[in-house]
Amino acid sequence: MKELKGLHHVTAITSSAEKIYEFFTYVLGMRLVKKTVNQDDIQTYHLYFTDDVGAPGTDMTFFDFPGIPKGDHGTNEIFKTSFRVPNDAALEYWQKRFNRLGVKNFGIKEQFGKKSLSFVDFDDQNYQLISDENNKGVPSGTPWKKGPIPEEFAITGLGPIVVRVSYLDYFKQVLESVFGFRQVGKEGDLYNFEVGEGGNGAQVWLEHNTTLPPGRQGFGTVHHAAFRVDEKKDLEEWDKHLREYRFGTSGFVERYYFGSLYTRVSPEILFELATDGPGFMGDESYETLGEKLSLPPFFESKRAEIEKLVRHFDTVRSNKVFEKEYE
């Protein structure tokens, strides 16, 4: 069975598809490469923000479930998503940008020898930018070339996910014995685990926290995190492996843009394994990625119904010129 390659994507819940599109496009400068629907709830948008070409390991995706309440942060949740930037100087750029745009942030800090800048969006979803200066391991992606952020400062992919748990020993055992992670650092109650080639693109930071109340899922929280494998055959082997450890799984799920396997590693935390391909350009050209409502072939017969269920909003960018914003 092949080792996991690193992070594939993180999926979170937003209160507004329109507002998260504006935030990720115009504030963070990440590219919307797919505007589709949640395949298990077709009245719900599923938006994919990535690097310039939709490379695996660069995806932050969002559901906007109708009527869902705001979530509560606490322990026993995937607490924070990281995005990689090229170096420490990029963090200085982003801190000034966030302050200018009124994005709540918490200053540049250092953990595990890496500088980072934590911030939140309009839903209090937790993120951090993490510097790739001196980073080794899984390569990052390509900045959105036509976006508003200068490439020397731009986001290039996913960094470590931060998981808070009250049951430290159990979760450490799951990461190490079941998923093949190895511990590479510890600072206080924060543990650093990595897999595959390691580095920012292949890490889970595990925080032991028994003081906060349990988190409650809703908008402003993470739904699940996914890790990379090469192909369907790998998912089948991982499915067998997980079942040997008595984890329930979804079995193989065809998502069209990639294949998936889901397992709930604790009652509150859902992990997914996902294939690197086939990717996001099978049904749209590079120039117009994310500009139309894309549906996998098995949903095309329901297009008229789905288009009535999800409200239209404009995501056309190919006719726009973004000026690079140096401050």
Side-chain angles (χ1 to χ4, degrees):
M1 186 179 63
K2 291 182 182 177
E3 191 174 23
L4 299 178
K5 299 169 67 176
L7 291 156
H8 188 282
H9 67 265
V10 175
T11 295
I13 307 170
T14 182
S15 63
S16 169
E18 294 89 343
K19 287 175 69 176
I20 206 69
Y21 168 72
E22 294 287 325
F23 186 77
F24 268 74
T25 302
Y26 296 101
V27 176
L28 297 185
M30 292 181 70
R31 188 178 187 192
L32 179 71
V33 296
K34 198 60 57 183
K35 179 171 67 174
T36 185
V37 294
N38 181 341
Q39 294 178 16
D40 302 312
D41 183 358
I42 60 173
Q43 64 180 331
T44 300
Y45 270 118
H46 195 178
L47 307 179
Y48 291 79
F49 300 93
T50 70
D51 74 345
D52 189 61
V53 295
T58 70
D59 309 21
M60 182 77 192
T61 91
F62 287 90
F63 299 138
D64 68 332
F65 295 116
I68 192 170
K70 191 177 191 300
D72 295 319
H73 291 298
T75 193
N76 303 333
E77 68 161 334
I78 301 171
F79 170 67
K80 186 183 292 185
T81 305
S82 304
F83 301 114
R84 297 167 68 176
V85 295
N87 49 43
D88 294 352
L91 295 178
E92 302 284 350
Y93 164 87
W94 281 101
Q95 186 173 30
K96 292 176 184 177
R97 179 175 179 80
F98 287 160
N99 290 339
R100 176 174 67 84
L101 296 176
V103 176
K104 185 177 180 181
N105 67 89
F106 305 95
I108 296 172
K109 299 179 181 179
E110 186 169 318
Q111 292 173 299
F112 301 121
K114 307 170 186 184
K115 290 187 177 180
S116 63
L117 173 63
S118 291
F119 65 101
V120 296
D121 69 11
F122 52 89
D123 285 330
D124 293 322
Q125 184 85 239
N126 289 294
Y127 313 95
Q128 68 178 358
L129 301 176
I130 188 163
S131 170
D132 267 348
E133 190 156 317
N134 303 318
N135 182 64
K136 297 178 181 179
V138 175
S140 197
T142 305
W144 181 20
K145 294 180 180 179
K146 295 184 178 180
I149 309 300
E151 291 185 34
E152 61 265 35
F153 304 130
I155 291 169
T156 59
L158 289 176
I161 59 168
V162 184
V163 182
R164 277 180 173 165
V165 294
S166 59
Y167 33 81
L168 176 68
D169 291 342
Y170 166 79
F171 214 91
K172 282 183 64 176
Q173 187 174 14
V174 168
L175 287 177
E176 293 173 332
S177 299
V178 180
F179 288 95
F181 282 79
R182 54 196 178 271
Q183 184 178 328
V184 294
K186 180 181 183 297
E187 293 183 359
D189 289 329
L190 191 65
Y191 299 76
N192 187 1
F193 294 85
E194 66 181 19
V195 74
E197 294 181 57
N200 285 338
Q203 291 183 347
V204 172
W205 292 3
L206 185 63
E207 179 187 324
H208 186 209
N209 191 306
T210 58
T211 58
L212 289 172
R216 181 177 61 88
Q217 195 168 86
F219 69 80
T221 67
V222 169
H223 187 273
H224 66 269
F227 302 95
R228 294 170 56 200
V229 300
D230 283 319
E231 56 187 353
K232 181 179 180 181
K233 181 178 70 174
D234 300 316
L235 291 181
E236 292 168 346
E237 292 177 354
W238 272 97
D239 189 15
K240 180 180 178 182
H241 172 75
L242 290 167
R243 290 175 186 272
E244 287 173 350
Y245 277 90
R246 300 187 182 278
F247 282 93
T249 78
S250 63
F252 176 77
V253 180
E254 178 57 75
R255 295 303 190 196
Y256 183 57
Y257 308 111
F258 46 84
S260 293
L261 175 71
Y262 299 85
T263 187
R264 194 163 288 282
V265 293
S266 71
E268 309 88 355
I269 295 174
L270 180 65
F271 279 176
E272 175 186 355
L273 309 184
T275 61
D276 276 354
F280 296 111
M281 284 191 268
D283 58 351
E284 293 183 277
S285 68
Y286 167 83
E287 290 75 18
T288 58
L289 285 172
E291 297 193 357
K292 68 175 186 179
L293 179 65
S294 293
L295 298 175
F298 43 83
F299 274 168
E300 276 298 339
S301 63
K302 295 184 177 181
R303 178 173 284 275
E305 173 192 352
I306 291 171
E307 288 181 342
K308 290 179 181 177
L309 289 172
V310 295
R311 65 205 175 280
H312 170 75
F313 71 102
D314 183 15
T315 56
V316 175
R317 289 142 294 142
S318 56
N319 60 1
K320 299 177 181 178
V321 176
F322 289 85
E323 296 293 334
K324 298 296 184 184
E325 299 174 7
Y326 281 90
E327 59 180 27

